[in-house]
Amino acid sequence: MSIEVRGVSRVFGRHRALRDVSLTIGPGELLALLGPSGSGKTTLLRVVAGLEAPDAGTVFFDGEDSSGRSTADRRIGFVFQHYALFRHMTVFENVAFGLRVRPRASRPADGEIRRRVDELLALVQLDHLGGRYPSQLSGGQRQRVALARALAVEPRVLLLDEPFGALDAKVRQELRRWLRRLLQQINVTTVFVTHDQEEALELADRVVIMNDGRIEQDGTPDAVLEHPATPFVMTFVGNVNIFRGRLPEGQATLAGLSAARSMRPSPDEHDDLAYARPHELEIGRDDTGGGVWVTVRDVRIVGALAKVELVDGLGALIQAELGRPQFEQLEVGVGDAVYVKARRLRVFTNA
Amino acid sequence: MAFLAAPRGGEGGSLFGFTATVQPRSGPPVRLAAHDIQIVFAVPGIVLASIFVSVPFVAREVIPVMEAGGSQEEEAARVLGASGWQTFRRVTLPNIRWGVLYGAILCSARVLGEFGAGSVVSGRIRGATNTLPLHVEILFNEYQFQASFAVASVLTGLALVTLVIKSVAARHVRGETVR
């Protein structure tokens, strides 16, 4: 099932949650909507689900205009951020709900409902907990019940709002891997909303980054990480060092850092911005050219990584990351002067 | 106007003159009258008056429970294909049932002792539209003290029963709001 969002806008009072958003999602695709809170990603998900009516624009399912269709008719599986399980029903009844409320003509028989629910509970590995109430379950278990309940109606599209938002880090990782396998197994078009870049990059086939009601970039996790389209994407996805300065013709010399990379000259007097990720910086003990001398302020060893905080002559902080063995070979400590240069520098000229 | 001209005697008569001046010449009252349906000085009138004075108690109990619950469960039901009525019956109502019960109990407690509104609309027709509190007064005015106190005791008994049910329901309401 493909989804096409065409020119959708939504305003809440004076806040413009969505500004003319267009997006196409292919059948079977696993798409992440990534953005800071208030960027409009949840609103977009709710518009697709029909829980929110757009002020302008249309959502098409397989080319068919869905404007006149109610939420109930769209056959959508929606997993809410806080799961929204029915508190007064057992896990079994929660999952069976979507089947029980069907009109009599299309409602499966009791035995059939029982079989389907048992099957779904087995799929989410909760077959032994059917008789429990939501309040007796852990966060991760509730999440899986919510997923089973959404899948019970055999949705054409699965929408998940911050699916791991309320879970602790360890459970989150486990569930993420599990969900990825499950989604491959059932092969249904899936859109999930998250503000966690790691989650989006690890889980999705395609990532759509939103900011202030607009789409900033739409691409594969690799493209978003390696070829950010805008400064916002660069700073939002991954850690980054920002260097300010003016670009002389042909070369970037920014706050003393220069990179051998040809660039367009700056069109005006404003500072240009250059970005380098911490792992794209190289640290050495000798002046090899094209870099700058800095002082080591702090070193933290995290597993196989060394995270080094450097300060340049003007007191600006630069973060660098390198492999632990590489760092140990350098034999530098806090207070030492080192020579840093960027293997790679991305520049967004300030037009 | 016909229905007003037909009070079955009693003290309602004095009221008639006052009500008649504010009755419209057409509209629902006249149409009801045409079908011989009596509101004032009959049971429906008492029920209506009781609803007006007591429904705010239900609202006061149910609204906080609903606010604490939020609307996510209703949205979930809608997405799963439930109609408006199914959502209300299977999701909303079960979640607020103790709030509704608690409000209903407060309602009945209020209505049990209702004197003013009942007195105005009932017409106080003995054996037909008289309520317990009104009956206490009538008996008292007729110097039937034992009978009057007996009826008052019945009221007290009902009040005590209500109190017990109320405290049970109150515990559950707290549970509903907290969860």
Side-chain angles (χ1 to χ4, degrees):
Chain A
M1 169 109 200
S2 71
I3 308 168
E4 191 192 344
V5 176
R6 202 182 291 166
V8 163
S9 298
R10 181 76 171 100
V11 181
F12 294 110
R14 293 176 62 189
H15 173 63
R16 295 175 66 186
L18 291 175
R19 311 176 188 226
D20 194 23
V21 170
S22 294
L23 179 67
T24 310
I25 304 157
E29 202 168 11
L30 175 51
L31 183 116
L33 290 174
L34 175 66
S37 49
S39 60
K41 54 196 192 313
T42 295
T43 309
L44 181 56
L45 198 73
R46 291 172 60 88
V47 166
V48 172
L51 289 170
E52 207 82 67
D55 292 322
T58 322
V59 180
F60 297 87
F61 290 100
D62 271 343
E64 182 196 342
D65 186 347
S66 68
S67 310
R69 287 178 156 251
S70 72
T71 305
D73 291 341
R74 295 189 188 198
R75 266 193 49 212
I76 273 169
F78 200 106
V79 176
F80 290 82
Q81 185 174 1
H82 300 291
Y83 319 135
L85 296 178
F86 305 126
R87 290 166 285 178
H88 61 286
M89 293 183 202
T90 61
V91 166
F92 184 94
E93 284 305 320
N94 260 282
V95 178
F97 186 87
L99 300 171
R100 291 212 198 280
V101 296
R102 286 210 185 148
R104 190 152 303 169
S106 59
R107 191 189 312 155
D110 266 1
E112 173 66 10
I113 291 180
R114 177 155 291 279
R115 195 187 61 75
R116 289 261 287 276
V117 173
D118 285 339
E119 213 175 273
L120 280 160
L121 286 177
L123 183 72
V124 299
Q125 298 158 9
L126 289 175
D127 14 12
H128 53 296
L129 295 180
R132 297 259 188 106
Y133 283 89
S135 58
Q136 300 167 312
L137 301 179
S138 72
Q141 289 169 336
R142 281 181 213 185
Q143 215 268 355
R144 284 182 281 161
V145 175
L147 194 66
R149 183 179 70 175
L151 292 173
V153 294
E154 292 175 323
R156 302 182 299 174
V157 177
L158 189 60
L159 306 174
L160 306 114
D161 187 4
E162 300 271 3
F164 313 106
L167 303 171
D168 56 64
K170 181 143 168 53
V171 179
R172 195 186 271 230
Q173 286 231 326
E174 277 170 21
L175 262 180
R176 202 189 290 164
R177 254 173 272 138
W178 171 82
L179 182 66
R180 167 114 205 149
R181 274 199 311 275
L182 181 78
L183 292 176
Q184 278 165 351
Q185 203 178 322
I186 56 178
N187 190 37
V188 58
T189 310
T190 305
V191 181
F192 73 98
V193 157
T194 179
H195 61 259
D196 181 342
Q197 36 148 321
E198 204 186 308
E199 204 166 282
L201 299 173
E202 205 174 288
L203 197 54
D205 300 328
R206 205 171 118 211
V207 180
V208 169
I209 295 173
M210 293 193 65
N211 180 36
D212 201 19
R214 271 187 283 252
I215 291 176
E216 292 269 342
Q217 190 171 0
D218 175 351
T220 62
D222 193 51
V224 167
L225 204 57
E226 292 301 315
H227 308 286
T230 64
F232 174 82
V233 175
M234 184 80 207
T235 48
F236 187 72
V237 182
N239 275 329
V240 73
N241 292 298
I242 303 176
F243 304 101
R244 288 172 179 281
R246 288 238 300 282
L247 299 179
E249 204 148 352
Q251 256 226 341
T253 310
L254 298 133
L257 257 187
S258 69
R261 181 178 165 190
S262 63
M263 287 186 305
R264 284 181 298 127
S266 172
D268 60 18
E269 294 290 310
H270 294 292
D271 279 357
D272 296 312
L273 300 174
Y275 300 82
R277 303 232 184 256
H279 68 263
E280 289 164 350
L281 294 180
E282 251 170 34
I283 300 176
R285 306 217 70 160
D286 309 304
D287 186 344
T288 47
V292 65
W293 283 100
V294 292
T295 314
V296 178
R297 196 173 78 176
D298 194 16
V299 177
R300 273 170 302 145
I301 306 284
V302 185
L305 275 183
K307 298 190 173 186
V308 188
E309 275 181 27
L310 308 162
V311 197
D312 71 0
L314 299 166
L317 177 76
I318 301 168
Q319 304 172 57
E321 263 175 39
L322 58 166
R324 190 173 173 172
Q326 224 177 324
F327 176 77
E328 278 163 356
Q329 246 172 19
L330 279 173
E331 292 180 338
V332 293
V334 175
D336 289 352
V338 290
Y339 194 76
V340 63
K341 61 181 186 180
R343 263 194 305 269
R344 185 166 179 202
L345 205 57
R346 291 177 194 75
V347 176
F348 295 97
T349 49
N350 199 338
Chain B
M1 297 273 268
F3 77 101
L4 280 174
R8 286 170 238 149
E11 291 105 307
S14 61
L15 203 65
F16 172 52
F18 167 74
T19 348
T21 54
V22 295
Q23 284 299 323
R25 277 158 199 270
S26 63
V30 173
R31 252 177 277 134
L32 284 175
H35 290 92
D36 210 19
I37 297 167
Q38 186 157 355
I39 305 286
V40 169
F41 310 141
V43 175
I46 302 173
V47 171
L48 275 179
S50 306
I51 287 174
F52 280 125
V53 296
S54 59
V55 154
F57 287 92
V58 183
R60 252 197 61 180
E61 284 312 312
V62 172
I63 290 170
V65 173
M66 294 185 88
E67 276 174 353
S71 60
Q72 281 225 315
E73 285 184 48
E74 280 78 11
E75 284 188 340
R78 264 169 68 203
V79 177
L80 288 167
S83 65
W85 167 247
Q86 283 174 320
T87 304
F88 178 72
R89 212 193 69 61
R90 288 169 176 264
V91 178
T92 310
L93 199 57
N95 276 334
I96 58 169
R97 60 185 190 273
W98 287 106
V100 171
L101 182 64
Y102 188 66
I105 293 159
L106 288 186
C107 251
S108 16
R110 175 78 177 72
V111 166
L112 273 180
E114 179 56 42
F115 189 87
S119 165
V120 169
V121 297
S122 76
R124 301 171 144 207
I125 304 155
R126 208 179 267 202
T129 67
N130 212 5
T131 67
L132 271 181
L134 298 181
H135 200 57
V136 173
E137 197 218 9
I138 291 174
L139 290 170
F140 191 78
N141 287 345
E142 288 171 352
Y143 303 102
Q144 301 189 42
F145 298 127
Q146 280 100 330
S148 171
F149 280 112
V151 176
S153 308
V154 171
L155 269 176
T156 313
L158 286 173
L160 287 173
V161 171
T162 313
L163 198 66
V164 172
I165 305 173
K166 191 213 88 153
S167 39
V168 174
R171 252 203 312 269
H172 287 278
V173 170
R174 244 172 284 134
E176 260 174 17
T177 323
V178 168
R179 258 188 298 163

